[in-house]
Amino acid sequence: MFMEWMEWPWLNMILILLTLISFGYALYVKYKRSIFTREHFAFAALAAQTTITILAIHTITSNNPFEAISYFVSQWAHIPHPNPVMGSSDKVLVLLFAAFFIWVSKKMFLSWEGSKSTQQKHNELLHNSPSLAMEGIDELTRLLKRKPPREIYLFTQKKT
């Protein structure tokens, strides 16, 4: 019963859309790093990592997610739908792609050169190592509690 539910074409489409949206949002936050803090990027990157991991697990345990796209196209165009089978090398490639994406997003997080919150600056002064998961979860709880955005640290030099 569970495996039948996993093979519904619309589930694949939803997973693909969620992955693309979360990945696009993470890139948007990175691009607009002058207005977003590293904590907000951690939230976006954590969401993207989660969706790509779910998509990879679903792909390995079920079928190719792009099969759903070809299914809907074949239904729309009234042509027979081919049923391709993923080999083990395809599944390994999916795992490598997901691992690469997680590695890149972690590197982007660690090398953040955008705005910093006062909390992030305080942690840097205490030499606390940043954690993408913890900062992402902290930002998620802040958003869920509808608290105001974190105060951005402004560096001011004294003129002598």
Side-chain angles (χ1 to χ4, degrees), residues 15-49:
L15 285 174
I16 291 169
L17 285 174
L18 283 175
T19 302
L20 291 175
I21 289 169
S22 62
F23 181 69
Y25 184 65
L27 289 177
Y28 173 76
V29 171
K30 177 70 174 174
Y31 177 71
K32 295 284 192 172
R33 61 185 168 263
S34 61
I35 58 173
F36 291 111
T37 61
R38 184 177 71 187
E39 290 93 349
H40 199 80
F41 176 75
F43 163 70
L46 188 62
Q49 286 180 358

Side-chain angles (χ1 to χ4, degrees), residues 7-14 16-17 65-79 81-82:
E7 293 181 12
W8 288 351
W10 59 267
L11 179 63
N12 285 340
M13 292 295 290
I14 290 172
I16 291 169
L17 285 174
F66 298 106
E67 182 183 344
I69 296 170
S70 68
Y71 172 78
F72 286 117
V73 169
S74 68
Q75 292 295 319
W76 177 73
H78 303 294
I79 56 176
H81 173 63

